[in-house]
Amino acid sequence: MTAGCAGGRLTIDLGALQDNWRTLAALAPHSECAAVVKADAYGIGLPQAVGALTRAGARTFFVAHLHEATAARAAAPDAMIYVLNGLPPGTAADYAAARVRPVLGSSEEIAEWCDFAAETGADASAAIHLDTGMTRLGLSAAEARAMFASGGPGFRPSLLMSHLACADEPHRVETERQRALFAELRALAPDVPASLANSAGTLMGRTTNGDLAFDLRRPGVSLYGSNPIHEGSVRLKPVVRLEARVIQLRQVPAGTAVGYGGVETTRRPTRLAILSVGYADGIFRAAGGADDARGASAYVGEIPCPYVGRISMDLIAIDVTDVPEGAVKRGDWVEMLGDHVGVDDLARASGTIGYEVLTALGRRHERRYA
């Protein structure tokens, strides 16, 4: 994106990313703090994020796909890298060549990985995923018990892991059930490192009966400034700042319909600023305003300026009536995400979660790294 031409300006604070990793690592010093950098590091840029996190001290990374793993390997030649979405048929040699480890979640994947290692003599290091309640990927408890009773998977796993389904709601009993089942299954291979806690589990710390940390934790969205449990004393720094360019100011009388469908009409003589971003840039249409529902807000300095009407693909109208005359003009930048509007604030206004806000930030923005 040519500097000066973009409608949005995205500033990514890699120092804040490093500070968030250090904060999360300090919550359980007895447990390694890895970093989940899938989906282009939640939208901020995988090579930049992996480089910054490596400098902060992270040495283990998780991605979703092999192509993400190869990008992470280029940024961190000595790191341990796991691929969460498993082993697609016929790709074992590609994993070995890239020096990355699949997370094996089915008997078919385990068998294919073992056959490849036996035939080639390649390093068989890989993780095994156990399903303790997510009902998504992983061996069932019965399959895991049978595997270990028969002597194990045919290689020594480098990691046993499972994934928490409800830890973003700390009072849910399912988290303790998952922890207890995972501890029981892990006891079948006590010499293998174990990992259960995601971002929510890392922030939650423990259930009433036990520690969620185990040997390694896998925070993802919390690294990028979003708190999935919305409670507690852990303070995370905002990593992304999104600003939108003002392309027009206009004065309209009370009772003027604004935007597609005319779903919101002005209640007073109103000064509107039209911003050069929209849902194609990651600002969800659901965050717009209507006569019966206040929209999200942008900020001009310290002044909140609500979205007015529906968000378009490329444009948003905001109410700048309360901004002093002359304090905002064509070409200025206003805050969409930053010190006043957190990722989770925009997510709530959009009826979604911080994960989706981060990963939806479009490629049309001018990107800058701090």
Side-chain angles (χ1 to χ4, degrees), residues 181-233:
L181 178 56
F182 184 64
E184 174 197 331
L185 297 176
R186 187 272 175 93
L188 302 174
D191 59 333
V192 178
S195 176
L196 178 62
N198 52 7
S199 283
T202 297
L203 292 164
M204 186 177 171
R206 58 181 299 110
T207 65
T208 54
N209 292 334
D211 190 355
L212 293 168
F214 289 90
D215 301 297
L216 180 144
R217 293 159 294 138
R218 312 185 308 273
V221 76
S222 56
L223 293 170
Y224 309 98
S226 175
N227 187 331
I229 64 174
H230 307 304
E231 59 182 62
S233 58

Side-chain angles (χ1 to χ4, degrees), residues 5-368:
C5 294
R9 184 167 67 186
L10 186 65
T11 302
I12 297 161
D13 188 343
L14 296 176
L17 175 71
Q18 293 173 316
D19 287 344
N20 288 341
W21 181 86
R22 294 184 186 104
T23 294
L24 296 166
L27 294 178
H30 62 286
S31 169
E32 181 185 349
C33 187
V36 179
V37 292
K38 61 184 180 177
D40 199 29
Y42 288 61
I44 75 165
L46 187 149
Q48 295 86 349
V50 169
L53 289 165
T54 299
R55 293 190 295 274
R59 61 183 187 274
T60 302
F61 296 92
F62 288 82
V63 297
H65 302 289
L66 180 58
H67 70 87
E68 295 176 326
T70 57
R73 170 62 67 218
D78 300 321
M80 189 177 298
I81 300 170
Y82 287 98
V83 180
L84 292 164
N85 282 23
L87 184 71
T91 61
D94 298 319
Y95 278 76
R99 296 185 298 116
V100 300
R101 299 179 177 186
V103 177
L104 307 172
S106 70
S107 56
E108 293 87 352
E109 288 182 349
I110 291 171
E112 182 171 343
W113 187 250
C114 287
D115 289 346
F116 169 77
E119 292 169 3
T120 64
D123 179 10
S125 296
I128 291 181
H129 193 148
L130 308 176
D131 179 16
T132 58
M134 175 66 91
T135 318
R136 200 173 58 176
L137 298 176
L139 300 177
S140 69
E143 289 173 320
R145 292 187 186 103
M147 178 183 69
F148 288 117
S150 66
F155 65 96
R156 185 182 183 278
S158 57
L159 187 71
L160 293 179
M161 61 166 280
S162 190
H163 195 66
L164 294 169
C166 304
D168 55 341
E169 302 175 66
H171 305 296
R172 294 280 294 269
V173 298
E174 290 91 336
T175 300
E176 167 53 23
R177 291 175 188 162
Q178 285 193 262
R179 185 210 63 78
L181 178 56
F182 184 64
E184 174 197 331
L185 297 176
R186 187 272 175 93
L188 302 174
D191 59 333
V192 178
S195 176
L196 178 62
N198 52 7
S199 283
T202 297
L203 292 164
M204 186 177 171
R206 58 181 299 110
T207 65
T208 54
N209 292 334
D211 190 355
L212 293 168
F214 289 90
D215 301 297
L216 180 144
R217 293 159 294 138
R218 312 185 308 273
V221 76
S222 56
L223 293 170
Y224 309 98
S226 175
N227 187 331
I229 64 174
H230 307 304
E231 59 182 62
S233 58
V234 178
R235 295 180 62 86
L236 300 170
K237 293 183 176 180
V239 172
V240 297
R241 177 179 180 84
L242 176 61
E243 299 164 288
R245 189 191 299 276
V246 177
I247 56 174
Q248 186 176 352
L249 291 163
R250 56 188 306 155
Q251 186 75 39
V252 300
T256 301
V258 179
Y260 282 118
V263 297
E264 185 167 9
T265 54
T266 56
R267 295 172 175 81
R268 59 178 178 173
T270 302
R271 193 159 84 258
L272 296 173
I274 311 303
L275 309 180
S276 188
V277 297
Y279 58 74
D281 303 292
I283 307 298
F284 294 113
R285 191 169 182 263
D291 286 337
D292 59 352
R294 181 182 174 94
S297 290
Y299 269 75
V300 175
E302 299 296 319
I303 301 173
C305 301
Y307 298 3
V308 183
R310 285 182 178 157
I311 293 170
S312 305
M313 183 182 290
D314 313 296
L315 300 167
I316 299 173
I318 63 171
D319 183 348
V320 295
T321 309
D322 296 331
V323 177
E325 195 74 38
V328 60
K329 60 186 183 300
R330 172 175 166 266
D332 284 352
W333 298 93
V334 303
E335 177 191 324
M336 311 297 285
L337 286 169
D339 295 334
H340 300 92
V341 185
V343 167
D344 297 318
D345 298 324
L346 184 56
R348 283 189 288 272
S350 306
T352 186
I353 54 177
Y355 303 75
E356 192 172 15
V357 169
L358 284 165
T359 56
L361 294 175
R363 290 292 174 184
R364 298 199 297 183
H365 304 305
E366 174 191 342
R367 286 191 167 217
R368 307 186 304 176

